[in-house]
Amino acid sequence: MVHNSLPLQWRKYPERYYLRGNYCENCKTSFFPQRQICPNCRRKGKLVEKETPYTGKIVSWTEVSVAPFGFENETPYFLAIIELENKVKILSQIVDSKKEKIKTGAKVKKLFRKISDIDPEGAIAYGYKFKVVD
Amino acid sequence: MAGIVGYGVQVPLRRITVEEIARVWKKDGKKISAGIGVKEKAVAAFDEDACTLSVEAARKALETAKIPGQKLGAIFVGSESHPYAVKPTAAIVGDAIQASPELMAADLQFACKAGTAGVQICLGLVKSGMIEYGLAIGTDTAQGRPNDALEFTAGSGAGALIIGGKENEVIAEIQDTYSFTTDTPDFWRRQHAEFPQHAGRFTGEPAYFKHITGAVKGLLAKIKMSPNDFDYAVFHQPNGKFPKQIAKSFGIEEKKIIQGLITPMIGNTYSGSSMIGLCSVLDIAKPGEKILVASYGSGAGSDAFSITVTKNIENKRAKVPVLEMIKEKEYADYAEYAKHRKKIKGL
Ligand SMILES: [Zn+2]
C-alpha cells in the first residue's frame, strides 16, 4: 500500500511529521491540510506555511470495529475529530488512552507513530496520532 | 566548556511483569523477579519503534534545551533495533523534529552503548567548533527470544541528550570521557536473525564487569579523581543487580545509584539504559554535584563520563521527571504483549 504511493507519501512528510499547514495573513485563518487558495479571501488571500499547534481537544469520536484494509489487526480503535488550538479541525487515531477518557472536550496531544507497516520489505509510513492528556 | 544543554526521555505506556512472563513458561516468577531485580518491563506498542521513541525523546530534549530543531548540526541515533537494516533512523528523526537539511547524521550500533558513543561524537564535534549543537539518542525496542532469560528484561525506551558548548546554556558539563573496548563474544545478533544470541559464560565477569571497570578506572586515573568524589553514579543496567554489584566493587554507596537505576521498573532499554538513568539524575541533581556514568555494550565496550551539574540546570529541568513519567502505565498480559511485539505468526 505504502510502496505503491511513495511519491505521494513523501510529499506529505511535513504534514504528517509535524503538522505543517498554512495560514492566511489577510483573514488570519489557519488551514490543515494546506490550501492552495484561501477559501475566504480568494485572490486577496496571502497564504504562508505554518505549523499547527500539537495540542487541542476532541470534538467528536467513534470506536472502529470493522477496519479498512491494513488496519484489521488494530480493531477496536478510536478515531476522533480534534480541534487544535488554532481552531483547525483534524481527523486522527487516538492511542495510548483509556476508553473512559476518550470523550468530547478531552484534551489531546500529538504523538509521532507508525501509521502503516504491513509490508515487511516495504517503506514504513510514519505520522501523527493523538493521545488524551489529563 | 562543553556538555549537556537539554535532555529528554520516552518510555512506552505498556508494561508486562516478570511474573506474567514466567506464568506462561511455568517458571517461578517471584524468584526470577527477585533474582534479576526487575519487576516489570516497558513494551513498545505495535505502532512504536526505535524511531518513534527517538522522535518523542528528542522533542522533549529540544524543549528543555530551549532551542529549535533547526539549530542542530548533528544527530546520531544509537540502537540495536533500528527499524531499517539500511535507511537511517537519524534522517527520519531529523525531519520529524524539523532539523535543517544542513545536518551531519548517522545511525550507530554498539549493542547497549551506541547512545553514549553518540554523546562522545557530539562532544568532539562541539569542542572542535564544527557544530554548535549535537543530538545523541540511545533508543531500543529490545526483543528477547520467547522463553529465553533475556525475555524477562528486554524493554523499550529512549534517552536523548543535546550537547552544546555555551557556558550560559550547559546544564551539566562533561569534563572528560574514556572508553575501554575489546573483542568479546558475549552477545550478538546476526543480520536477518530476529533474536540475539548470548553466550552464558561470557556474560558478567569477562564482559560487563571487566569493561566497565576498565573504563571507569581509566577515566579516574586520567582526571585524578576517586569513585567517592561523585554524588551520583549511573551504570548500564541489563538487570537490577549488576549495577549494584559494580557500584559496590568501586566502594560507591548504593544510595548514589538509586536515582539512576530505572531498569527494575521498565526493563533493560539497551541503548537507552544508561542515558535514561542519567536523565533521571539530571531531574534532581543540584548545581556543583558530580555524576559518574558508565555505559556497557556487548561485543564489548564501555564509555565512562565525568559530569558536573551547573547552575543552569535550575531553569532547564524536564517538565515531567523520569520517575514521574513511568508511573503512567497500563499492564498487558502475555497474549497482548505477543500481539504488540509481533511475536504471533502472521503479524
Ligand atoms: Zn484569507
Side-chain angles (χ1 to χ4, degrees), chain B residues 210-265:
Chain B
K210 175 183 155 184
H211 291 82
I212 292 187
T213 303
V216 169
K217 280 194 170 160
L219 175 74
L220 296 181
K222 194 176 165 196
I223 59 176
K224 298 186 175 62
M225 282 175 76
S226 91
N228 280 314
D229 294 333
F230 293 90
D231 302 282
Y232 294 97
V234 179
F235 298 107
H236 173 55
Q237 32 207 273
N239 50 51
K241 231 175 165 182
F242 280 13
K244 288 184 178 173
Q245 287 170 1
I246 194 103
K248 201 173 167 193
S249 78
F250 290 124
I252 295 172
E253 296 161 88
E254 201 169 298
K255 64 172 194 205
K256 290 185 177 176
I257 67 162
I258 293 302
Q259 179 69 23
L261 186 55
I262 311 299
T263 288
M265 290 87 83

Side-chain angles (χ1 to χ4, degrees), chain A residues 23-29 31 38-42 44-47:
Chain A
Y23 175 77
C24 176
E25 289 182 332
N26 190 40
C27 66
K28 318 266 185 256
T29 312
F31 302 101
C38 175
N40 305 327
C41 315
R42 300 283 164 184
K44 283 183 192 148
K46 194 168 181 292
L47 289 172

Side-chain angles (χ1 to χ4, degrees), chain A residues 3-4 16 20-22 24-25 28 32 70 85 106:
Chain A
H3 194 76
N4 293 335
R16 294 196 172 161
R20 170 166 286 171
N22 53 10
C24 176
E25 289 182 332
K28 318 266 185 256
F32 183 91
E85 271 158 21

Side-chain angles (χ1 to χ4, degrees), chain B residues 135-190:
Chain B
L135 168 63
I137 302 172
T139 179
D140 263 303
T141 53
Q143 291 272 35
R145 185 185 297 278
N147 200 19
D148 181 277
L150 291 177
E151 193 186 17
F152 294 110
T153 52
S156 304
L161 296 174
I162 297 175
I163 307 301
K166 290 190 188 133
E167 211 177 319
N168 60 339
E169 291 183 356
V170 171
I171 60 173
E173 185 187 0
I174 302 176
Q175 274 99 22
D176 217 330
T177 177
Y178 183 100
S179 295
F180 185 92
T181 312
T182 74
D183 181 354
T184 306
D186 58 328
F187 171 99
W188 63 88
R189 181 168 63 82
R190 294 289 302 268

Side-chain angles (χ1 to χ4, degrees), chain A residues 40-65:
Chain A
N40 305 327
C41 315
R42 300 283 164 184
R43 234 180 278 169
K44 283 183 192 148
K46 194 168 181 292
L47 289 172
V48 292
E49 288 196 322
K50 196 177 178 185
E51 278 79 54
T52 64
Y54 285 3
T55 50
K57 59 177 198 243
I58 294 176
V59 173
S60 161
W61 62 275
T62 185
E63 187 172 348
V64 179
S65 42

